[in-house]
Amino acid sequence: QPGLSPKEGRTFSLLALAMVLITGTATANSFVPLGAASDALLAATVSLLLALFLALACVEDKQLPANEVSQDRSPMHIKVQQASKTLEFWMYTVVFSTAAGSGQLVFTNLSQMAEAIGCSSQSEALLCSFSFCNMLGRLSFGMACDILQHRRASRTLLFVASTLLATVGQLLLHAAALQENVVLLFVGVCCVGLQFGGAFPTLVNVCAARYGRATLNGNWTFMDAVGNGTASLVFGSYLGSVAYDRHAGSDHHCYGPNCFALPHLIMAVICACRT
């Protein structure tokens, strides 16, 4: 953000460095098989997240002068240092992380999911379906945000819609894994892709409404980085690989309903509880 003081510049640089380290360890964890090294990277990522939360809680707030605030049309000008000290901020982050986690679980393991039920030849079609529904989710939820804003309705209702889509999608994927049904797999992937794409414009609009447009870049970027990064690590990498690696054969490939049925059921319960 422009006009940062030297102290704020150092704080911003440290936060950026912390996010790079968290992203790096989370990415490295996805390339390492389950074991001591994977557990160490997971512990390092969680430790960095906790350190980041504690650092944000200790950052001194700095209010803008009245003349600077009045130049912005938004009635609020809440920085990430202030917003991160509220329960509401972390509730939005957790909700978004769950929505992103549902998509990350499918997107990261889509090829293995198709292979597990004997339709590996459909991997590209599944990926295209997920990407197309992801695009539709971003467009439709973005338009819905504008409609709700004009009608002065709460845009957090879209998070509820995303939750329901995620729950239904994960249950369909659970049934597809148990029955080894390709049709259910496609329908479940489309539902999850739709809600995954819809979560992003919803979070942007909620951030702008709750914390002001002037600080949208900082607030939304932080929530997106923490929520999406945590979802990728916990749901996409860890949850998706635990059952798969446990039931994999000597060739490190897993076939049958045990590969992903339990992760999809766990993800469905988490999405349902998020409501």
Side-chain angles (χ1 to χ4, degrees):
Q1 298 177 6
L4 294 177
S5 66
K7 183 177 180 181
E8 289 178 324
R10 289 192 297 270
T11 302
F12 179 80
S13 299
L14 291 175
L15 290 176
L17 178 60
M19 295 310 303
V20 169
L21 291 175
I22 292 172
T23 305
T25 53
T27 303
N29 181 270
S30 63
F31 289 99
V32 177
L34 290 178
S38 177
D39 294 340
L41 287 173
L42 178 61
T45 305
V46 174
S47 300
L48 287 171
L49 283 171
L50 291 175
L52 179 61
F53 297 160
L54 293 175
L56 283 172
C58 298
V59 172
E60 181 181 359
D61 295 340
K62 181 181 178 181
Q63 301 291 340
L64 289 178
N67 58 344
E68 294 186 20
V69 177
S70 62
Q71 292 176 359
D72 191 273
R73 296 180 180 179
S74 176
M76 291 179 293
H77 194 102
I78 303 175
K79 292 185 177 181
V80 65
Q81 295 95 327
Q82 301 167 299
S84 61
K85 295 180 180 180
T86 64
L87 178 62
E88 180 188 42
F89 181 87
W90 294 112
M91 288 180 64
Y92 282 132
T93 304
V94 170
V95 168
F96 173 72
S97 178
T98 310
S102 178
Q104 290 286 356
L105 174 61
V106 174
F107 182 74
T108 306
N109 303 282
L110 193 54
S111 177
Q112 290 87 345
M113 288 166 54
E115 183 183 43
I117 65 172
C119 62
S120 56
S121 61
Q122 301 294 325
S123 297
E124 293 183 1
L126 287 167
L127 179 59
C128 291
S129 300
F130 181 89
S131 300
F132 181 74
C133 291
N134 182 16
M135 179 268 295
L136 286 181
R138 293 172 187 263
L139 289 176
S140 59
F141 276 66
M143 294 175 61
C145 285
D146 291 338
I147 294 173
L148 291 176
Q149 180 182 8
H150 290 313
R151 295 185 178 182
R152 299 184 181 277
S154 175
R155 279 155 283 183
T156 55
L157 293 174
L158 295 176
F159 273 134
V160 178
S162 175
T163 298
L164 295 176
L165 275 173
T167 305
V168 171
Q170 293 297 333
L171 288 176
L172 287 172
L173 292 172
H174 173 69
L178 290 178
Q179 302 176 18
E180 299 185 7
N181 190 307
V182 181
V183 176
L184 290 177
L185 181 62
F186 269 96
V187 177
V189 165
C190 289
C191 289
V192 173
L194 189 65
Q195 69 85 29
F196 179 67
F200 289 90
T202 303
L203 180 66
V204 173
N205 278 267
V206 168
C207 280
R210 297 300 300 161
Y211 308 115
R213 293 189 299 272
T215 55
L216 174 62
N217 291 339
N219 289 317
W220 175 76
T221 302
F222 180 83
M223 296 175 76
D224 176 58
V226 174
N228 210 6
T230 304
S232 177
L233 173 65
V234 176
F235 301 114
S237 179
Y238 192 77
L239 179 61
S241 61
V242 168
Y244 187 89
D245 291 343
R246 182 176 299 174
H247 296 93
S250 57
D251 58 349
H252 302 291
H253 289 275
C254 181
Y255 303 96
N258 294 325
C259 302
F260 289 102
L262 182 60
H264 288 310
L265 183 60
I266 293 175
M267 193 73 244
V269 172
I270 293 175
C271 292
C273 293
R274 191 189 71 178
T275 307

